Amino acid sequence: MSPQPQVSQLLPSVLQHVVEGQRVTVLDVGPALPETVAFFSAVPCTLHIADLFSALPLTPEDDGPSYIEQFRKLLPLPAATRFDICLFWDLFNYLPVAAASALLEVLHPHLHADTRGHAFGVHKRGTPEDSRIHGILNADTLTLRSRRQLLPGYAPMPQAQLQTVLADFRFERSVLLADSRLEFLLGMRQEKREKRT
Amino acid sequence: MIGPSIHIKGTVSGGEDLLIQGKVEGTIDLGDHEVSVGQSGKVTADIKAKIVKIEGEVAGDVTGSEKVVIAKSGRVRGNIIAPRVTLEDGAIFKGSIDMDPGDTRTDVQTAAPKAEKPVAAAAPAGNQKPGLDQKHG
């Protein structure tokens, strides 16, 4: 499936550190894509590719290890790693609330005051699934590939609930896309910054 | 060349290019030369070379002082350090990639842990409400 380009109003802000020429550390929770690797190859960076989508559905906590344990196994990050950019794509549409909270808890030590995030959500909870694989073509253009099959566990949260779950982040900007999908630019919450000082 | 029926455990080093079609467990260090892991190659080892091309399976850290290429049939689980990394469509990779296009030194050894950024240097977040823009199309 050839990737389709989609201009993003928010991507330039997500990638501000890159545009400024800083060395960046990036978390991409999607599969490794040629265009994303090529984009970050042009700048000094460390790109962590985890493909958490391939781990869906997570094992329910009642039937196995806790979500935190599962994410710690899926994200074996060196203690010193601090992400400047977190590319969550539409992962939160597929995670139970407890799992999304657990992911943020696992990531918490690896975030810093200027970490920026990118995510997709939905405007209305009943929005049909439109599962895509996302990549970065350039500083203002994403790529979209259709998945060969739908992912299990599609249950998007309303934005208000997502804001509560993503406790470390504040939603700096949202863009309403076609099909009632939302694109989010995430920054760190002020109170979290102060707590970490 | 390490043929498809060859299984090596230990350290592989040398002064020429190497094609691996068999199995290697241990470490591979070819300095200024090229290592190719062919489609039938299965490597469970750290690899260091000038150029590393992967068409088979690699589990381990890969350091290419010039570049690392993962072909469409390649499967890599580990960390890559190289000035330039190319991933072909269909390749499977899980791990981290440490890239610096301006750094072509041959002594790229380890990904130095990045110091935690001082929180005190953070830009003010402000308390503005999140904006909602309408995108057409």
Side-chain angles (χ1 to χ4, degrees):
Chain A
M1 183 68 67
S2 61
Q4 302 296 313
Q6 177 179 293
V7 173
S8 165
Q9 293 179 32
L10 302 186
L11 197 58
S13 297
V14 175
L15 300 174
Q16 186 182 342
H17 298 303
V18 177
V19 174
E20 291 172 350
Q22 300 175 27
R23 181 173 185 86
V24 291
T25 301
V26 182
L27 172 65
D28 183 345
V29 303
L33 295 180
E35 62 270 23
T36 304
V37 172
F39 173 78
F40 285 109
S41 283
V43 297
C45 81
T46 302
L47 176 60
H48 290 258
I49 298 175
D51 193 9
L52 299 182
F53 293 92
S54 66
L56 298 175
L58 297 176
T59 305
E61 289 186 300
D62 292 343
D63 301 337
S66 69
Y67 289 132
I68 288 179
E69 289 174 276
Q70 292 181 59
F71 280 121
R72 283 195 176 132
K73 191 173 180 183
L74 293 166
L75 290 166
L77 300 169
T81 298
R82 298 292 181 272
F83 292 115
D84 302 295
I85 299 167
C86 294
L87 302 171
F88 295 114
W89 308 125
D90 57 349
L91 180 68
F92 297 117
N93 290 344
Y94 297 91
L95 295 182
V97 171
S101 297
L103 174 58
L104 265 292
E105 189 169 336
V106 169
L107 287 179
H108 182 87
H110 303 287
L111 306 177
H112 63 75
D114 285 330
T115 301
R116 297 198 170 196
H118 181 280
F120 288 104
V122 295
H123 184 49
K124 296 176 183 173
R125 203 167 194 168
T127 301
E129 182 177 4
D130 182 21
S131 184
R132 307 289 187 95
I133 301 171
H134 299 85
I136 296 177
L137 187 61
N138 58 49
D140 67 358
T141 307
L142 298 169
T143 58
L144 307 179
R145 287 173 167 83
S146 294
R147 292 186 184 274
R148 289 178 183 167
Q149 56 187 34
L150 296 179
L151 293 170
Y154 177 71
M157 288 177 249
Q159 183 175 345
Q161 188 176 18
L162 193 56
Q163 283 178 300
T164 304
V165 170
L166 304 187
D168 278 351
F169 289 102
R170 68 190 172 100
F171 287 57
E172 293 194 348
R173 208 170 155 206
S174 307
V175 173
L176 182 60
L177 304 171
D179 304 326
S180 285
R181 290 182 302 120
L182 287 168
E183 183 180 8
F184 301 124
L185 167 63
L186 309 173
M188 296 300 287
R189 283 187 195 272
Q190 181 67 45
E191 55 266 35
K192 293 292 177 187
R193 293 180 176 187
E194 289 169 352
K195 273 185 183 176
R196 293 163 70 88
T197 54
Chain B
M1 172 177 165
I2 296 174
S5 65
I6 306 295
H7 188 171
I8 295 176
K9 289 185 180 181
T11 300
V12 177
S13 60
E16 59 185 286
D17 296 347
L18 175 66
L19 169 62
I20 300 169
Q21 293 287 17
K23 293 182 181 177
V24 177
E25 296 176 53
T27 60
I28 300 167
D29 189 345
L30 288 195
D32 277 345
H33 296 274
E34 180 176 325
V35 172
S36 298
V37 179
Q39 286 195 19
S40 62
K42 291 187 178 179
V43 174
T44 305
D46 294 341
I47 303 174
K48 289 181 184 175
K50 183 178 182 182
I51 297 171
V52 183
K53 293 181 178 175
I54 301 167
E55 296 179 342
E57 294 182 26
V58 173
D61 295 341
V62 179
T63 301
S65 59
E66 186 174 302
K67 67 177 178 180
V68 172
V69 178
I70 307 176
K72 60 184 179 183
S73 58
R75 293 168 177 261
V76 179
R77 188 181 185 95
N79 303 309
I80 296 175
I81 303 170
R84 289 182 293 131
V85 175
T86 301
L87 188 80
E88 293 183 0
D89 208 357
I92 295 174
F93 171 76
K94 190 165 186 181
S96 71
I97 305 175
D98 196 312
M99 298 176 280
D100 189 342
D103 184 358
T104 54
R105 295 170 301 159
T106 55
D107 60 346
V108 179
Q109 296 289 332
T110 57
K114 189 176 176 180
E116 185 172 1
K117 294 191 175 181
V119 176
N127 291 317
Q128 73 271 26
K129 293 178 181 176
L132 178 63
D133 302 334
Q134 176 81 46
K135 182 176 182 180
H136 302 283

